[in-house]
Amino acid sequence: MKIDTEKLDFAICEKGMMLKDVAQASGLSENCFRNIRQGKAEPRLRTIGKIASALGVNIKDIIKEGED
């Protein structure tokens, strides 16, 4: 399962959060979150869930279309 970086950026912008805020709220290091956001790392489903929860969105709102 891959995060859609455009959808992720949109969700972050909509919530008015800074990247470090999302990282902290999801329990990730800023570096780890930055790598996920830039598409350099493919997170596990549990991590995607933590990011979605930190943003107050559904997992489906931040993953690529057609991904399981």
Side-chain angles (χ1 to χ4, degrees), residues 26-67:
S26 57
L28 302 171
S29 70
E30 288 183 51
N31 191 46
C32 178
F33 181 69
R34 185 178 307 110
N35 286 336
I36 291 169
R37 189 180 148 267
Q38 293 174 347
K40 294 179 182 178
E42 189 172 324
R44 295 180 182 183
L45 179 58
R46 181 180 216 163
T47 303
I48 295 171
K50 289 179 181 181
I51 294 168
S53 179
L55 291 168
V57 299
N58 190 296
I59 289 175
K60 291 180 180 183
D61 295 333
I62 60 172
I63 61 169
K64 290 192 177 188
E65 296 284 326
E67 292 288 327

Side-chain angles (χ1 to χ4, degrees), residues 6-16 55 57 61-62:
E6 288 182 27
K7 290 180 179 179
L8 178 61
D9 286 345
F10 180 77
I12 293 168
C13 185
E14 265 203 327
K15 297 296 177 181
L55 291 168
V57 299
D61 295 333
I62 60 172

